[in-house]
Amino acid sequence: MKHITIIMPLIKECSVSACGFNAMDGCHAKAITVGNGTNPGCDTFFNVPDMSAHATSVGRTGGVGACKVSGCKFNTDYECMADEIMVSLISQKANCATYAPR
Ligand code: SF4
Ligand code: SF4
């Protein structure tokens, strides 16, 4: 496998325990995509009710690969420029809790 190295904002914490990438309040996807329009939802979320089927590579913490919420003050060219973000359930959806309107 060929590798690339990219600097991305860290997902410091994610409390959406039903997501298949979640273990111990951490996101273990390589990178997530956030948002659509004005909604800062985590597009990478997928529901896996069986905790034993969640990601097991917990040594790696995910980052924000892309964000389509241009109205967030941390967004430049559809990328997140925050140092780190938090993700949590907001209105029953996995959302970026670091989102802040311009
Ligand atoms: S940040 Fe998104 S992909 Fe990662 S564990 Fe949370 S809901 Fe899942
Ligand atoms: S902080 Fe703003 S720019 Fe960064 S992922 Fe969240 S909504 Fe997108």
Side-chain angles (χ1 to χ4, degrees), residues 2-88:
K2 294 182 178 175
H3 291 85
I4 57 171
T5 302
I6 301 174
I7 296 173
M8 291 182 284
L10 183 76
I11 303 163
K12 185 180 180 191
E13 185 178 312
C14 175
S15 59
V16 185
S17 57
C19 177
F21 287 115
N22 192 290
M24 298 179 290
D25 281 341
C27 175
H28 304 292
K30 280 184 184 169
I32 66 168
T33 298
V34 173
N36 212 350
T38 56
N39 169 25
C42 176
D43 274 0
T44 310
F45 166 83
F46 72 118
N47 188 26
V48 179
D50 180 358
M51 294 301 284
S52 69
H54 282 212
T56 55
S57 300
V58 295
R60 179 188 64 212
T61 300
V64 184
C67 176
K68 295 173 274 182
V69 186
S70 59
C72 177
K73 72 178 187 182
F74 296 109
N75 196 291
T76 300
D77 293 338
Y78 308 107
E79 292 183 2
C80 179
M81 298 298 170
D83 288 337
E84 58 192 22
I85 72 161
M86 309 273 281
V87 177
S88 62

